[in-house]
Amino acid sequence: MRKVLLVTFALSLTAITSCARKPPTSQPTAIIQGVKVETIKTSTVEDYYEAVGTVRARNSSVIAARIMGNVVKLYVREGDRVRAGQTLIELENREAGTQIAKARAGVRESTDALDEVDRNMRAAESTQQAANANERLANTTFSRYRTLFERKSVSPQEFDEVRTKLEIAKAESERADRLLQATKAKRAQMLARIDQAQADVSSARIYAGYSRLVSPIEGIVVSKQVDVGTMATPGAPLITIENNASYQLEVAVEESQLSNIHLHDQAHVEIEAISNNDLTCFVVEIVPAADPSSRSYSVKLALPNIAGAQLRSGLYGKARFISGQRETLAIPQKAITQRGQLTGVFVVDQSGVARLRLVKTGKAFDDKIEVLSGLTDGDEIVVDGLSSIQDGSRVRDVHPVGSR
C-alpha cells in the first residue's frame, strides 16, 4: 500500500512539472518580416563541362647565349617593354676581333696570290699562242718538203730535218697547252681560297655578333636570370620575353570529354584576376597527345585582345564548354546558407515555419545552382532575408481552415 502511494505521488509531481513548463498557447510566435519565399520547380538549363587552366602568351621567347662569356652590359629589367631587334645583353668576347683580323688577312693573302696567278696565266697564254703559230709554220713547211721529196727535189736528210722540226713544234704546243691548263687550275684554287677567306670573315663577324643578344620579338620582359658579371653559358636561359598583345588559356580536358570539344568551338571563359572576367572565346588548338600523369589533353582558347592590358601569364582561368540542355532543379544561389562544411536551405512548411534542410548542390548556372538532393519539385524555400531567420522561425501566418 505504501509503495502504491509513492508511485501515485511521483506521477502527480511529474504532471504538475510538465504543466508548469508548457508555454502558454495564447502567445503566438512573431512572424519574421522582409523574408521572400519562392516555390521551386524543375527548369531547362544548358549542360556544360568546366575545365580549369592557366593563361599563357601565344608567343614567347627565351633568350640564351650561344657562347660563353661574362655579362658586361644589361639593358633591361623585368616589366620593361622591348621592340624586335633591341639589344638586351652584351657579353665579353675578346677573341671576336682577333678572328675577324685573321680572316681579313687571309682574304688579302689570297687576293695577292690570285694576282700572281693571273700574270702567270697571261704569260702561259702568250707561250701557247707562240707555240701554236710555230706548229702551224712547221706543218706548212713539212707539207711543202714532202711534195719536193716525192719529186726527188730535196735530199732525205733535208726532209728528215723538216719533219723533226714539226714534231718539236707539236711537242712545244702541247707543253704550252698543259702549262696554260695548270695555270687555270691554279687560278681556280686561288678563287676558292678567296671564297673561303671571305667566308671566314663572315663567320668571324657572326661569332662577334653572338656577344650581342637582341630581342627577336616585341613584348615585355617577364623574367631575368642574370646580372652584370654573371657568366653566361651556351643554352642557359637569360631573359624571357612575352608578346603581351595576345594571350590564350590552356585548360586540361579529361579524355572522356575530349570528343565533345572541337576546333573553333565557343566557350565561356572566366578569369577572376581581371575586371571583365566573363569572356567569350574560341578553341584554336587541341594538343593530340595526352599527359601520361593526368590522362588529360591540353586545349587552347584564344583570349580577346580587349583583355590584353590586364592579362599576364600564369593567371588562373576556367573555361565552360556547352554540351546541350537538360532538366534539373535549380534554385537561386542566394538561397544557399553555409553552416561550416554543411550546405542547406530554409524550407517553409505548411505551418509557415522555416526549417533548415541540408542539400547537395551541383553545377552553377549564372545566378542559380543545381540541387542534386534534399529538395523536390514544389518545395517552398526562403530566397531573401536569410540573415534574419533561423531554424524554426515563422515567416508567414497560416490560418486553419474555417477560422475566418
Side-chain angles (χ1 to χ4, degrees):
M1 185 65 179
R2 186 177 179 180
K3 292 181 179 180
V4 174
L5 292 175
L6 289 175
V7 172
T8 304
F9 178 76
L11 293 174
S12 301
L13 184 59
T14 303
I16 294 172
T17 305
S18 300
C19 293
R21 292 180 181 179
K22 186 177 180 179
T25 57
S26 59
Q27 297 180 358
T29 305
I31 299 175
I32 305 298
Q33 302 297 326
V35 176
K36 182 179 179 182
V37 179
E38 183 178 303
T39 301
I40 62 174
K41 59 182 179 180
T42 304
S43 59
T44 301
V45 296
E46 289 185 335
D47 197 11
Y48 64 87
Y49 169 73
E50 189 172 80
V52 298
T54 306
V55 175
R56 302 190 188 280
R58 294 188 196 177
N59 187 14
S60 62
S61 178
V62 178
I63 309 301
R66 296 188 179 184
I67 60 174
M68 180 177 293
N70 289 323
V71 177
V72 294
K73 290 184 180 180
L74 184 62
Y75 297 100
V76 294
R77 298 175 298 178
E78 288 92 345
D80 288 351
R81 296 187 60 86
V82 296
R83 63 183 184 277
Q86 179 178 339
T87 302
L88 308 176
I89 298 174
E90 285 190 11
L91 303 178
E92 182 182 14
N93 190 10
R94 298 177 180 178
E95 297 180 359
T98 304
Q99 291 182 357
I100 292 177
K102 181 179 179 181
R104 287 176 176 172
V107 173
R108 290 193 298 269
E109 181 183 359
S110 300
T111 303
D112 294 341
L114 179 63
D115 293 339
E116 183 179 356
V117 170
D118 287 339
R119 291 192 295 269
N120 294 336
M121 189 173 67
R122 288 192 294 270
E125 289 175 348
S126 301
T127 302
Q128 183 193 38
Q129 292 174 0
N132 291 337
N134 190 30
E135 181 184 4
R136 288 192 299 269
L137 177 60
N139 193 27
T140 303
T141 303
F142 175 76
S143 298
R144 293 175 182 174
Y145 269 77
R146 184 173 54 185
T147 303
L148 294 174
F149 179 74
E150 290 173 353
R151 295 177 181 178
K152 306 296 182 178
S153 300
V154 294
S155 64
Q157 183 178 357
E158 292 176 334
F159 179 73
D160 291 339
E161 290 177 355
V162 172
R163 183 170 55 186
T164 301
K165 290 181 179 180
L166 176 60
E167 292 174 355
I168 294 174
K170 288 181 178 181
E172 291 292 333
S173 179
E174 292 176 358
R175 189 175 67 85
D177 289 339
R178 288 193 299 270
L179 179 61
L180 180 59
Q181 294 300 323
T183 307
K184 289 182 177 180
K186 185 68 174 180
R187 187 176 189 276
Q189 291 178 358
M190 290 298 103
L191 290 175
R193 187 176 298 179
I194 290 175
D195 292 339
Q196 180 64 43
Q198 290 176 345
D200 290 341
V201 172
S202 300
S203 178
R205 288 175 177 173
I206 293 174
Y207 181 78
Y210 289 161
S211 62
R212 180 173 167 268
L213 305 182
V214 300
S215 173
I217 61 174
E218 180 179 355
I220 186 171
V221 178
V222 296
S223 66
K224 175 179 67 69
Q225 290 81 25
V226 294
D227 290 302
V228 174
T230 303
M231 174 64 72
T233 57
L238 303 178
I239 290 178
T240 302
I241 300 173
E242 289 184 352
N243 184 355
N244 62 337
S246 58
Y247 287 89
Q248 60 188 11
L249 177 65
E250 299 180 8
V251 297
V253 176
E254 299 174 0
E255 56 183 353
S256 60
Q257 298 290 334
L258 188 65
S259 59
N260 300 324
I261 300 176
H262 308 87
L263 284 176
H264 312 300
D265 280 357
Q266 180 177 320
H268 297 285
V269 172
E270 182 177 330
I271 301 175
E272 297 180 357
I274 65 176
S275 57
N276 182 19
N277 60 1
D278 188 10
L279 306 173
T280 299
C281 304
F282 296 90
V283 177
V284 294
E285 184 179 349
I286 300 176
V287 178
D291 184 353
S293 60
S294 62
R295 302 299 179 186
S296 62
Y297 291 80
S298 178
V299 176
K300 302 178 182 180
L301 301 99
L303 296 174
N305 293 333
I306 190 174
Q310 304 177 29
L311 291 176
R312 289 292 183 268
S313 290
L315 294 180
Y316 171 81
K318 296 185 292 185
R320 181 178 298 179
F321 302 92
I322 304 300
S323 58
Q325 292 184 338
R326 61 185 176 89
E327 296 291 328
T328 188
L329 195 64
I331 64 174
Q333 293 195 29
K334 61 182 180 180
I336 297 293
T337 180
Q338 293 291 143
R339 299 293 175 89
Q341 299 295 325
L342 302 178
T343 302
V345 296
F346 284 102
V347 180
V348 181
D349 59 17
Q350 295 181 355
S351 61
V353 176
R355 299 294 183 184
L356 181 64
R357 184 182 298 178
L358 300 180
V359 297
K360 181 180 180 181
T361 58
K363 297 179 179 180
F365 305 94
D366 296 331
D367 60 341
K368 291 189 175 184
I369 189 170
E370 179 184 21
V371 177
L372 301 177
S373 63
L375 295 177
T376 58
D377 194 3
D379 284 344
E380 293 183 322
I381 63 172
V382 177
V383 297
D384 201 0
L386 273 70
S387 59
S388 59
I389 65 174
Q390 58 184 355
D391 188 37
S393 299
R394 183 177 295 277
V395 297
R396 66 183 178 187
D397 189 16
V398 178
H399 297 281
V401 179
S403 61
R404 293 185 178 179

